[in-house]
Amino acid sequence: MTSTPMPRLDSAPGAERRPAAARGAAQAQARAATAGGTLADQRRAAVAQRALAATANQGPGMGGRRHLAEAVRLSPRMLAQGARGQARAGPTLQAHAGVPVNDDAGLEAEADAMGRRALARAAAAPGAAPRHAPIQAFMTVQRAPVALAHFVTGAARYTGYLSWLDSWGKLENAIGRYAALSEDNHEGRAALLASMTALSMTWTDGYTHRRNTGKAEAGDAVRKALVDRLDTLLTQEEGELNASAGALRTGPLPVSPEPRLSKEKQADANDKSAPGGGMFRVDTAIHDQDLKVVGTGHQGRVCRILHGWQAAVANVALAASKSDYYKVEAEEEELAGKNFEAIHTGFAVKANLIEVNRLRAAPGLKYLHRHSALAHPLFPHPPVIGDIVQVGLGDCYLLAAMISVVHADPAHFVNHMRDNKDGTVSVKLYGDAGQPVLVRVHKSVVVHDRKAEKDQTDAFASGAMWVKIYEKAYVAAGFHGGGAETLPSAEQSYGMTEGGHGHIAQAHITGAAAADHRIQTGREQIPGELNKHLKMPELTARLQIADHPQRLEDMTQFGYLNQIPGKLEDLLQKTFVTTADVRAMLSKEGVKAAYVDTIIAAVQEEKLLTGPLGAGQYSKGELDLFESVKGLLDAGKKMTIGTRKDIFDSPEEVTGKGGSAGESMVKGLVGPHAYAILDYAPKGHVAGQALSLKLRNPWSSYGRKYKHAHAAGPVRNDLGTTFEGAERIEDKGASGAESWFDLADIGAYFTSYSSM
């Protein structure tokens, strides 16, 4: 038997670009590993060589250092195995150039198994996954410890009395303890993985020695098969623990300051003169009424934008261009924080200001460090939409956008985040025109500041660690839902992100352009369209006959019908209007039943209005909306949708207020609020079926269900089945996180949807 000698480590492509110290260390490892001369040892050394060769095109940069580090990480095992190889068996053959080798089949099989384990662990190590690898490349579906509870059974079980001394007894004990670990005990998993790896190697050494000396024990063969299986499982587990840190790769980044803990200062909705918030986009001149410069507002500083001043302007020059200016004054220092500036009251060019929230301090909150990558993994499992929970910050548009992305692409956030394992996390977002924005934030979360740690609950985003950190990174980078640009603040603040648009957040998250679609069901066209049918041609014709016996009655009806358009305008101010409402209004106004039937038939034929809730009768605008959403979802688009502010006709309908921004809660619907669109139903629908959209509430609870007159509880409305006397009911629990909303409710209570 002959063998081709391995190439010199320093002759690998690109080796001349590697640091001499690292190259020398690798050469020493290879010499030590091959000293025994076995093919097994040569394969182990080849693992180190391949890790070094991987740096060929990277030089001594970050990637190169990572691969060199991997070679060094594997070296203790290689060195140990090399030494054991010398002790177990001498050479049996001499290969090319006089290199002594041992071709023992058992050692070869063992070498193959260990080589596979080493290579698999190298692949699972940080940095091995490609930058935008599919999630399957570095994450398994289940992150819980593997099921080892009954791994060792039958003849493989230890039957002696010295399990604390015997390597198999200790390994069996470690396997049992590992199987009992909870899913989130990453520290315990890491410790036992290391222990089981060492114990399996120790037992394998003893097994090989017994086999070579003819002293095999009962159960050895069964146990050897189990060890081989265990190797595969341990490799999988190590890969999971590595994957929990995320896959983003960046160069060195400065650590962003912790954002200010704040909330939006809500203005009185009835006070039209209440000032708004502004931030200077660039250094900006402030003018008086004569357009003379009286001061400067500096970039990133905040001010108050005043309203209702235009009518009082006396200066002709300013009056002619007042649409180009905001009137500004200094913000209260307590509200402005580090963004305060004592500016002159005056006029600033609109284009130089960004409209932002006015802020207030959020008392009773603090940052809580969660530095440990094992105790607090960034990704405790592959991302799912249930990880995302909105609690106390009014950024539903951001969390709804995150849900839409996870729903379509679970790997996205793993590819865009990385736990640096130094108490910081790096995050990649996108700014104007999809330009990457990299930010590094402290691995800490916002909690309620309470004495007992168990009471220090999440104050802003909740759920998985990656969600809380991503929300913080969004704030720290200066993003807000009101525009694509980042805020040039001296101090970034959570309150600046309250209120925004889903399509803007989607673009910030993915870097792809997102579209905003206004929901137009044609309601504004109803008066004009209906007025054509109110003229009643046959009625008008009879009125031309002076002595027609119905003339008096016809004139009375004609008078009633002429008043209907104005009455209809009032009716359409309601949030939810159906053909039944129009019928009732016509009858109330004295219109004859025959005329009412004629008008309603025309309304239904032209699909001007929706029918009774649950009846499967929709307006043309609603049907067009359904087809649009259906087409976008079928094309794999990520979608969000937002409700109007007034989702009720009377304040008495409101049953509660949201904890994040004081949103109204009405029979399972929240407004104003953003949801993610997940699905539509039924598939392959036909005319006359009830149509629905499946929405996810970022609160992870509270949704709408429907019931009909003949059922005690909720009915399924995602099957296309129509139901009589539909009534809306609220689901306050977690089961309400995802709700099937009837298309008529979508058209009535929602204002726009985004797609990307």
Side-chain angles (χ1 to χ4, degrees):
M1 174 180 176
T2 61
S3 173
T4 303
M6 292 189 302
R8 287 163 50 89
L9 284 172
D10 58 359
S11 67
E16 66 282 355
R17 297 201 302 268
R18 292 192 291 272
R23 189 165 63 246
Q27 292 168 351
Q29 292 165 17
R31 285 193 295 271
T34 56
T38 67
L39 290 176
D41 296 327
Q42 290 187 22
R43 284 181 181 151
R44 294 183 193 107
V47 174
Q49 182 165 344
R50 280 192 288 273
L52 286 165
T55 69
N57 297 319
Q58 301 183 50
M62 285 192 67
R65 287 196 296 273
R66 191 163 61 243
H67 287 295
L68 287 170
E70 178 55 34
V72 173
R73 189 177 74 85
L74 293 172
S75 64
R77 180 175 298 181
M78 296 174 191
L79 292 170
Q81 292 297 333
R84 290 174 188 143
Q86 295 180 61
R88 289 186 213 163
T92 59
L93 292 173
Q94 191 173 71
H96 180 69
V99 177
V101 297
N102 186 309
D103 66 345
D104 181 272
L107 290 176
E108 288 299 300
E110 181 190 345
D112 287 340
M114 290 186 173
R116 285 192 299 270
R117 185 195 299 181
L119 286 171
R121 287 178 180 167
R131 190 171 187 176
H132 294 292
I135 196 166
Q136 292 82 2
F138 50 85
M139 304 182 84
T140 57
V141 174
Q142 178 62 38
R143 279 285 180 79
V146 292
L148 297 179
H150 304 290
F151 189 78
V152 182
T153 58
R157 294 188 65 84
Y158 181 74
T159 57
Y161 299 98
L162 300 174
S163 61
W164 62 91
L165 294 177
D166 183 89
S167 59
W168 184 261
K170 289 191 284 187
L171 178 59
E172 188 175 329
N173 179 270
I175 291 172
R177 286 186 288 137
Y178 191 85
L181 290 176
S182 63
E183 178 177 350
D184 58 356
N185 189 352
H186 282 230
E187 287 181 304
R189 290 173 68 184
L192 279 174
L193 280 174
S195 176
M196 287 189 289
T197 298
L199 288 169
S200 70
M201 292 176 65
T202 300
W203 183 87
T204 301
D205 287 346
Y207 162 80
T208 303
H209 177 73
R210 291 192 299 275
R211 188 199 60 195
N212 290 341
T213 57
K215 298 179 180 179
E217 298 178 354
D220 265 0
V222 177
R223 291 173 179 174
K224 181 62 170 66
L226 285 180
V227 166
D228 290 342
R229 284 178 53 204
L230 186 63
D231 281 348
T232 301
L233 293 174
L234 295 184
T235 298
Q236 172 186 322
E237 292 291 275
E238 285 187 7
E240 287 186 3
L241 289 175
N242 285 330
S244 68
L248 176 66
R249 293 290 178 266
T250 69
L253 296 171
V255 181
S256 299
E258 295 279 47
R260 179 187 175 197
L261 300 177
S262 64
K263 291 275 293 175
E264 178 185 4
K265 177 179 171 59
Q266 298 282 351
D268 184 349
N270 298 317
D271 184 1
K272 303 303 181 183
S273 63
M279 177 178 290
F280 293 102
R281 180 178 279 116
V282 294
D283 290 354
T284 300
I286 298 175
H287 305 83
D288 63 12
Q289 282 208 38
D290 297 322
L291 295 184
K292 294 179 180 178
V293 176
V294 295
T296 301
H298 291 94
Q299 183 184 50
R301 303 298 174 171
V302 295
C303 61
R304 287 192 292 192
I305 297 177
L306 305 180
H307 302 294
W309 56 272
Q310 291 86 347
V313 173
N315 182 281
V316 176
L318 180 58
S321 57
K322 60 187 178 184
S323 61
D324 297 329
Y325 287 87
Y326 281 133
K327 186 174 184 179
V328 298
E329 67 179 9
E331 179 58 280
E332 299 173 42
E333 187 170 0
E334 182 181 355
L335 303 186
K338 294 180 181 179
N339 296 328
F340 172 76
E341 184 171 39
I343 63 170
H344 286 78
T345 299
F347 303 90
V349 175
K350 278 185 178 181
N352 292 341
L353 283 116
I354 307 169
E355 291 192 59
V356 297
N357 296 332
R358 298 184 67 204
L359 305 180
R360 61 177 175 82
L365 305 183
K366 72 173 184 179
Y367 283 106
L368 188 64
H369 293 294
R370 291 289 188 240
H371 288 177
S372 172
L374 291 173
H376 306 288
L378 191 61
F379 294 98
H381 48 250
V384 294
I385 57 179
D387 290 344
I388 303 168
V389 183
Q390 182 188 7
V391 179
L393 194 68
D395 59 352
C396 55
Y397 68 95
L398 170 62
L399 300 190
M402 291 170 66
I403 291 171
S404 74
V405 172
V406 169
H407 181 61
D409 180 13
H412 176 86
F413 289 98
V414 180
N415 284 326
H416 284 73
M417 301 181 74
R418 177 70 184 178
D419 188 335
N420 299 312
K421 300 182 180 178
D422 61 356
T424 68
V425 177
S426 296
V427 180
K428 183 179 181 181
L429 301 110
Y430 297 88
D432 283 339
Q435 291 299 311
V437 175
L438 295 169
V439 60
R440 183 179 170 203
V441 296
H442 292 282
K443 193 181 178 188
S444 59
V445 297
V446 183
V447 298
H448 293 284
D449 188 5
R450 292 171 182 149
K451 183 175 295 185
E453 186 170 349
K454 65 181 179 64
D455 296 328
Q456 294 176 353
T457 54
D458 293 319
F460 291 159
S462 188
M465 179 63 65
W466 68 268
V467 178
K468 307 171 195 179
I469 299 300
Y470 196 89
E471 179 186 64
K472 177 197 281 191
Y474 192 84
V475 177
F479 286 111
H480 63 117
E485 65 183 319
T486 56
L487 298 176
S489 310
E491 175 188 52
Q492 302 299 352
S493 186
Y494 273 97
M496 286 296 186
T497 64
E498 294 200 285
H501 305 284
H503 70 285
I504 291 176
Q506 286 180 320
H508 287 157
I509 293 169
T510 67
D516 184 40
H517 312 264
R518 303 301 299 175
I519 293 178
Q520 296 178 329
T521 59
R523 177 185 285 210
E524 64 281 356
Q525 300 170 0
I526 292 173
E529 292 295 319
L530 192 57
N531 195 42
K532 294 187 299 186
H533 302 289
L534 293 174
K535 296 186 182 303
M536 302 295 292
E538 67 275 19
L539 176 61
T540 304
R542 285 201 303 270
L543 286 173
Q544 305 303 315
I545 305 173
D547 58 350
H548 194 282
Q550 288 184 236
R551 181 176 176 78
L552 181 59
E553 181 183 348
D554 286 346
M555 290 183 66
T556 302
Q557 289 295 307
F558 195 77
Y560 291 155
L561 292 172
N562 279 337
Q563 297 177 30
I564 294 302
K567 301 289 185 179
L568 187 61
E569 293 280 1
D570 294 337
L571 177 64
L572 291 175
Q573 296 304 308
K574 291 179 58 180
T575 56
F576 191 84
V577 182
T578 69
T579 52
D581 295 317
V582 175
R583 178 184 288 277
M585 184 265 292
L586 291 171
S587 299
K588 182 179 179 181
E589 294 302 318
V591 179
K592 285 177 60 175
Y595 293 160
V596 171
D597 290 342
T598 300
I599 294 170
I600 294 301
V603 169
Q604 291 175 332
E605 182 179 355
E606 296 187 19
K607 295 183 172 61
L608 295 180
L609 276 171
T610 189
L613 183 64
Q617 301 169 12
Y618 302 104
S619 70
K620 182 179 183 302
E622 290 165 346
L623 293 171
D624 289 344
L625 167 63
F626 184 82
E627 290 300 323
S628 173
V629 172
K630 173 183 177 296
L632 291 167
L633 287 174
D634 286 345
K637 299 296 185 181
K638 308 169 183 69
M639 302 190 69
T640 70
I641 191 168
T643 55
R644 55 197 289 181
K645 181 179 180 180
D646 298 325
I647 57 172
F648 52 86
D649 293 319
S650 169
E652 284 72 29
E653 297 176 47
V654 178
T655 57
K657 291 290 185 178
S660 53
E663 308 92 333
S664 298
M665 301 165 64
V666 179
K667 294 184 178 179
L669 183 66
V670 183
H673 195 49
Y675 294 77
I677 305 179
L678 304 183
D679 202 359
Y680 66 89
K683 304 295 188 291
H685 66 92
V686 296
Q689 286 187 306
L691 307 178
S692 304
L693 297 182
K694 186 179 185 180
L695 308 185
R696 173 87 186 184
N697 187 344
W699 292 0
S700 232
S701 64
Y702 195 73
R704 174 167 287 182
K705 299 289 188 290
Y706 300 86
K707 60 175 292 187
H708 63 71
H710 307 299
V715 297
R716 285 193 62 177
N717 65 317
D718 60 325
L719 303 176
T721 307
T722 58
F723 43 97
E724 299 177 14
E727 180 184 345
R728 304 173 183 92
I729 56 177
E730 63 182 4
D731 183 347
K732 296 182 179 180
S735 59
E738 294 177 8
S739 302
W740 286 97
F741 280 83
D742 189 89
L743 179 60
D745 277 350
I746 298 292
Y749 299 111
F750 291 77
T751 59
S752 64
Y753 59 97
S754 71
S755 64
M756 179 191 62

